[in-house]
Amino acid sequence: MSETGSLLSALVCRSCATEVDAARPAGTCPNCGGALFAVYRLDRLDAGTWRRSLRDRPTTLWRYRELLPVQRTEDMVTLGEGLSPLLALGPIPEAPGLEVSVKDDGGMPTGSFKARGMAVAVSRAREIGLRDLFVPSAGNAGVALAAYAARAGLRARVYLPERTPAPQRNACAAYGAEVRAVPGNIREASEVARAVEKDRGSFDMSTLREPYRVEGKKTMGLEIFEQTAEHEGLPDAILYPTGGGTGLVGMAHAFSELDHLGLLERTPRLYAVQPAGCAPLARALEAGAARITPWADPRTIAPGLLVPSPFASEPVLAAVRSTRGAAVTVTDREILVAMHLLASRHGISASPEGAAPFAALPKLLARGDLKAGERVLLYNTGTGLTFSREDLERTLGLEPPLR
Ligand SMILES: Cc1ncc(COP(=O)(O)O)c(C=O)c1O
Ligand SMILES: [Zn+2]
């Protein structure tokens, strides 16, 4: 048995400061029901040595093993996830004066950034003795759970909204997960999943109801740091397509740990990009509210952004506010145009979610949130190769959009 060197010390609730033993399975805070977050003994890490040692490590997210929860190397379940490319776009006519790059997770195993969270969470689940996992999902998280559970030899059940795109639904089944289609959106899928699974002794892998997926998503921020630190430094702003918002929490978490380690020169401003037809986090940020209120009648062509009532919105709002970022909304039509431009002009295939940040560029520039000369990173969270433009146009024009 060999050790990863993980510095995980405990799980802590940010709402009520309750501390929980990380060696045992834990979902949410036993005291207040809030999200639990991993904390690490960062004082035991020599930051300079660690930074230098990264050069010789595997080109996967496991290169950051000290800052991940898995304790034994044989428990790391991997499909080669992480270290996705950072691609410069060159001049953008729609957003003149900005220096824009795309962090492209379209090539991750299972086609989206969800591989990051599930690789870490499934590894940790197996390590602490869990065998039977389930998740309600808009599609991509379900595919990632199915694949990593297969790789780990664990059982997986996936609850999908019935209008989940066929490629995602088929992939869950192909990886051997049990699939159940639920009428409604992710909120209804979650309710059905929890009701069905209640007495089964199975474990809920929903984001932020389980503490380790966000740790995997943290590697988005660690990679952005590592990929820019030796060149121009961290970008001024990161635009992220936001559904539940865990990715924002993960990146903020990364920057805060790097800051504790004395490695961070500045923190990029985090911008939450949401579809105009489902924007509960953007609404709460604009109103200065403490938490979200559920979005009535949610609609968008971006399945992963159809999250009308994100769980644990406080840490998501805090991630944006603490970095002096903001929110912005884009329409489905703007998302379609952005998908087209990214693919046909820049050679980057983005899903509707992943294209949303590109659509947000001119708006943030016009609003003065972004200024000429700034360096801006767009996060492409998933491949567009599983989407057909004709289907999306039909959904937009002739049929009611996803709801
Ligand atoms: C491709 C894609 N992008 C973005 C998101 C939203 O992620 P988050 O929960 O971090 O806001 C999802 C969630 O399903 C997704 O599948
Ligand atoms: Zn609590």
Side-chain angles (χ1 to χ4, degrees):
M1 186 184 95
S2 65
E3 312 232 322
T4 58
S6 165
L7 296 168
L8 178 69
S9 67
L11 297 172
V12 175
C13 172
R14 285 194 195 154
S15 307
C16 74
T18 295
E19 198 171 305
V20 173
D21 181 2
R24 274 195 266 279
T28 51
C29 173
N31 182 44
C32 77
L36 291 171
F37 292 94
V39 285
Y40 298 82
R41 298 182 186 89
L42 297 177
D43 52 320
R44 296 202 185 160
L45 196 64
D46 181 275
T49 312
W50 179 72
R51 244 326 276 290
R52 283 188 295 280
S53 74
L54 293 178
R55 291 192 191 128
D56 304 319
R57 294 194 180 187
T59 53
T60 70
L61 55 73
W62 299 102
R63 60 201 281 106
Y64 309 114
R65 52 193 164 73
E66 290 89 346
L67 303 182
L68 293 173
V70 177
Q71 306 292 305
R72 292 182 304 258
T73 50
E74 53 271 40
D75 283 320
M76 299 185 321
V77 180
T78 185
L79 292 164
E81 58 291 326
L83 224 57
S84 60
L86 183 60
L87 308 166
L89 289 196
I92 309 282
E94 297 80 13
L98 296 178
E99 211 179 298
V100 182
S101 59
V102 170
K103 173 83 170 148
D104 188 7
D105 271 10
M108 288 291 99
T110 73
S112 83
F113 81 117
K114 299 277 179 182
R116 296 175 181 273
M118 284 301 182
V120 172
V122 170
S123 297
R124 184 66 179 150
R126 185 171 72 174
E127 183 164 73
I128 57 180
L130 297 168
R131 294 287 170 265
D132 194 358
L133 313 174
F134 75 92
V135 77
S137 163
N140 287 326
V143 183
L145 174 65
Y148 284 94
R151 186 98 174 136
L154 307 182
R155 278 189 299 280
R157 278 184 301 286
V158 179
Y159 294 77
L160 302 172
E162 66 185 355
R163 294 190 66 186
T164 300
Q168 275 76 13
R169 220 173 41 232
N170 295 340
C172 292
Y175 284 122
E178 219 178 280
V179 181
R180 181 155 169 180
V182 179
N185 58 46
I186 186 74
R187 188 163 37 171
E188 286 77 33
S190 304
E191 283 163 12
V192 168
R194 275 185 269 287
V196 173
E197 299 286 342
K198 195 163 165 280
D199 301 314
R200 274 191 164 174
S202 51
F203 192 80
D204 187 351
M205 298 291 274
S206 302
T207 187
L208 295 180
R209 290 184 192 268
E210 148 334 300
Y212 300 116
R213 279 177 65 188
V214 67
E215 292 303 292
K217 293 184 181 180
K218 182 172 84 180
T219 63
M220 298 192 286
L222 296 175
E223 286 179 20
I224 293 169
F225 166 75
E226 204 190 343
Q227 288 172 315
T228 58
E230 275 169 23
H231 309 287
E232 63 285 13
L234 279 162
D236 297 291
I238 296 176
L239 277 50
Y240 179 78
T242 305
T246 331
L248 291 168
V249 180
M251 283 191 283
H253 197 163
F255 297 134
S256 141
E257 285 179 354
L258 291 167
D259 194 24
H260 272 91
L261 290 169
L263 293 171
L264 202 73
E265 276 168 23
R266 58 160 162 180
T267 305
R269 306 190 303 274
L270 294 178
Y271 289 89
V273 183
Q274 292 213 284
C278 183
L281 287 158
R283 182 168 65 189
L285 283 162
E286 274 150 25
R291 61 188 63 82
I292 64 109
T293 48
W295 191 271
D297 195 22
R299 290 157 185 254
T300 171
I301 57 164
L305 307 186
L306 195 72
V307 187
S309 184
F311 176 68
S313 61
E314 293 91 334
V316 184
L317 300 175
V320 174
R321 288 178 177 139
S322 67
T323 60
R324 297 172 297 108
V328 59
T329 60
V330 293
T331 66
D332 280 351
R333 273 170 212 283
E334 288 164 342
I335 287 177
L336 262 185
V337 172
M339 284 176 81
H340 172 64
L341 289 176
L342 277 169
S344 63
R345 192 163 70 192
H346 300 285
I348 296 173
S349 170
S351 64
E353 300 90 343
F358 186 90
L361 275 175
K363 299 194 167 184
L364 288 171
L365 194 59
R367 236 165 65 175
D369 286 59
L370 299 176
K371 296 191 176 53
E374 287 197 313
R375 285 181 299 110
V376 182
L377 183 147
L378 312 178
Y379 215 109
N380 175 24
T381 44
T383 180
L385 294 177
T386 54
F387 291 87
S388 122
R389 187 167 165 197
E390 289 70 35
D391 284 353
L392 291 171
E393 282 173 351
R394 199 172 322 115
T395 306
L396 253 187
L398 305 174
E399 289 175 9
L402 292 170
R403 47 181 308 152

